[in-house]
Amino acid sequence: MTRRERTSLFLLWFFLGFLPLLVRPLWEPDEGRYAEIPREMLATGDWLTPHLNGVLYFEKPPLQYWLSALSMKLFGLNAAAARLPLALASGLMIWAAWRLAKRLGAREPLWAPFMAATGLLAFLVGQFLTLDALFSAFLVAAIAAFVEAVALRREGSPALAWTLLSFLLLAGAMLTKGLAEVVLTGGILLFSMAFAWKDRDLCRAVVRTALDPFGWLLYLALVVPWFWAVNRVNPGHAQFFFIHEHFTRYLTHAHARQGSNNWLLDKLYFVGILAVGLLPWLSATVVGLRRSWTFLQGRGPQGRDQLARWTVGITALAFLWPLVFFSVSGSKLPPYILPVLVPLAALACAFEREGEEGLALRRMGRELMVLGGLFLLTTALFRKDLGGLGWMLALGAGFVGLGVWAHWPKGLTAPRLKAALGAALWLLVLATQAAAGPGKSVADLVRRGPVNAQWISYGTYFQGLPFYARSRVVVVAGTGELEYGRDRLPDAERWFSEEPAALGNLADRLKAEDPARPVLVLAKAASWKQLDAGERDRWEEVARNPAAVVARRK
């Protein structure tokens, strides 16, 4: 890696992968959940068994929780510290895109990480504290390291370091999100053999790398201890985690996360997500895929290079197999498809031809104008529900203006384009916070209550409430995903009730148990409105936002 490449990759990571993590409070529901679990690890000292609001929470492995907990231990209990693992995810994703594009022979491999980091879906998911960004980063970085190991083995050079790095990253993916790593990498590697079998040395290199005993020893040494220990301390963890959270979720609609109730639309869900999420690089991606297909058919002077053909093949499969796998699944959310974005960027960059820069720029300009138009249309349709109207108008106008400049690129150089698109994405961060942030975060509402307050979450479980209150909360009519842990509590009725009418009695009980501590409720706005008028009169409203109400028991 040259000094220029290091500088470019660092600046991309720092301004678009790190700094945006520092500017927002936690948004409901995911960010609150994935910040509260590590906060409870710090509070209880139990780093083995994940807990959420004091109950067992076995839906995911612990690696990102550990990283967030370490970050909060170092930098304090705040949203930025909780999100810091996303900076690692961004760095790995940027490195993997550059490495794959370089191995694929791209003329300008630095464009691949820029494309991967600035596509709409990748940028947005990279700012929100979920597990998908880190999982995807581990996965694509492992594939990039695996490709390097195979290439070196094929050439007769030592490849142990790259092999061990690949297995280390795969262990990170397994400890972040579980068995999806095994299915995705296994499928990609297995199907890639179709592009290697004609070359005996290449085929042997792929198999030896995949079955490397030192790699597997490292992988098992990292992965097995936690799964063994947590199931030993909490019998039943393995059944819930491996069966319910993987097979049941994948094969059924148990979590009501299908893309659509229409079968065809459900299976095409991620095609639609990518059609928007790849902007402003959609056309470049389509061109890259089409040329990859031509290359894999053996056309062109390089089509007979078996190592190059396998490298293109495994990169294409790193897009195609996750797309098929997640499209078939009964559970779908937009971030699930994140692993395909780096391979797509690498292929698009690798197959761009010299002299096409002007045409590619005009295509990008049209996509930027479409993106700006979508922001303006969203603002017009939802103007009554959105705050920050000026921010949203500026956001739409900014993308349209950048699109016009890219389409008629007078004075537009590559550095200017990168800086302008980075500025537009920063405007996206600020505009979304101004427009949707007040209704998506409970931080300001919770801070309106006394530090020693006893809290009730009513109508739903507000994931950020215990994080900002720094204490466990009572949940009324909102148990949801806490059901598994609740059912294993010896005093479940002390902390949970699914009866909305129980709100008053629970509040009075809390007040009687500790009169010195006020009792506050954070209620879903719709549930508060439906509450009996007589019961509502026994509360003093303290604050509200578009989604929730805070009230104090009189």
Side-chain angles (χ1 to χ4, degrees), residues 12 26 71 193 214 237 273 353 443 448 480 508-509 552:
L12 176 63
L26 299 171
S71 176
M193 293 300 295
F214 294 107
H237 168 271
I273 293 296
R353 295 168 182 165
R448 296 290 296 274
D508 291 337
R509 191 202 72 205
R552 179 172 179 157

Side-chain angles (χ1 to χ4, degrees), residues 349-382:
C349 184
F351 283 98
E352 185 182 42
R353 295 168 182 165
E354 191 171 2
E356 290 185 337
E357 294 83 359
L359 176 60
L361 195 57
R362 288 193 294 274
R363 289 171 177 160
M364 180 189 181
R366 289 193 290 269
E367 292 182 34
L368 285 166
M369 287 187 274
V370 168
L371 196 51
L374 289 175
F375 290 136
L376 292 173
L377 179 62
T378 301
T379 303
L381 292 176
F382 300 100

Side-chain angles (χ1 to χ4, degrees), residues 38-39 41-43 47 65-85:
R39 187 200 70 81
M41 286 183 168
L42 290 175
W47 292 63
Y65 308 152
W66 290 341
L67 295 176
S68 288
L70 287 171
S71 176
M72 288 190 285
K73 189 174 181 64
L74 292 172
F75 304 112
L77 298 176
N78 56 74
R83 288 195 193 102
L84 210 54

Side-chain angles (χ1 to χ4, degrees), residues 180-460:
E181 171 268 316
V182 177
V183 176
L184 292 177
T185 53
I188 292 167
L189 298 183
L190 179 64
F191 293 130
S192 78
M193 293 300 295
F195 303 105
W197 68 273
K198 289 184 179 180
D199 185 317
R200 180 176 299 178
D201 292 335
L202 176 58
C203 190
R204 185 182 299 113
V206 174
V207 173
R208 286 184 61 191
T209 304
L211 300 181
D212 188 275
F214 294 107
W216 277 104
L217 283 173
L218 176 63
Y219 179 88
L220 294 174
L222 292 172
V223 167
V224 171
W226 180 80
F227 283 101
W228 174 82
V230 75
N231 193 66
R232 184 170 180 268
V233 173
N234 304 278
H237 168 271
Q239 193 281 333
F240 179 84
F241 177 77
F242 290 110
I243 304 301
H244 182 270
E245 283 301 302
H246 285 83
F247 294 101
T248 302
R249 176 176 288 195
Y250 185 83
L251 296 172
T252 72
H253 296 157
H255 292 266
R257 289 180 178 174
Q258 60 269 32
S260 170
N261 290 325
N262 178 282
W263 183 86
L264 180 60
L265 293 179
D266 177 65
K267 301 313 171 191
L268 294 176
Y269 174 80
F270 286 116
V271 175
I273 293 296
L274 290 174
V276 177
L278 285 168
L279 295 173
W281 307 107
L282 177 61
S283 58
T285 298
V286 172
V287 171
L289 283 174
R290 188 173 66 243
R291 290 175 178 172
S292 300
W293 173 250
T294 300
F295 183 87
L296 290 173
Q297 289 180 306
R299 302 173 191 170
Q302 294 181 330
R304 297 180 184 86
D305 183 335
Q306 292 302 316
L307 178 59
R309 189 167 179 266
W310 175 82
T311 304
V312 172
I314 194 171
T315 307
L317 284 166
F319 154 69
L320 184 60
W321 176 238
L323 177 62
V324 171
F325 176 77
F326 287 120
S327 294
V328 172
S329 171
S331 179
K332 296 180 176 68
L333 288 174
Y336 291 178
I337 203 61
L338 201 63
V340 310
L341 302 182
V342 164
L344 287 175
L347 290 171
C349 184
F351 283 98
E352 185 182 42
R353 295 168 182 165
E354 191 171 2
E356 290 185 337
E357 294 83 359
L359 176 60
L361 195 57
R362 288 193 294 274
R363 289 171 177 160
M364 180 189 181
R366 289 193 290 269
E367 292 182 34
L368 285 166
M369 287 187 274
V370 168
L371 196 51
L374 289 175
F375 290 136
L376 292 173
L377 179 62
T378 301
T379 303
L381 292 176
F382 300 100
R383 61 186 181 279
K384 294 181 180 179
D385 302 318
L386 293 174
L389 184 61
W391 281 103
M392 291 301 296
L393 292 174
L395 174 66
F399 272 91
V400 170
L402 180 55
V404 171
W405 194 15
H407 198 270
W408 291 280
K410 185 176 181 180
L412 182 60
T413 62
R416 289 175 182 174
L417 173 63
K418 290 181 178 181
L421 183 53
L425 291 172
W426 259 99
L427 185 57
L428 175 60
V429 172
L430 300 174
T432 51
Q433 174 59 27
K440 291 293 290 182
S441 176
V442 301
D444 290 339
L445 294 179
V446 177
R447 289 171 182 146
R448 296 290 296 274
V451 175
N452 67 335
Q454 302 178 84
W455 284 92
I456 300 173
S457 183
Y458 177 66
T460 187

Side-chain angles (χ1 to χ4, degrees), residues 1 5 9 92-106 109-110 112-113 140-141 143-148 152 162 165 311 342 346:
M1 184 183 292
E5 288 173 326
L9 296 180
L92 285 173
M93 178 271 295
I94 286 170
W95 173 83
W98 168 80
R99 192 76 231 180
L100 277 174
K102 199 170 185 69
R103 173 54 64 180
L104 287 165
L110 286 174
V140 296
I143 292 170
F146 186 88
V147 168
E148 291 299 319
L152 288 173
W162 284 109
L165 177 60
T311 304
V342 164

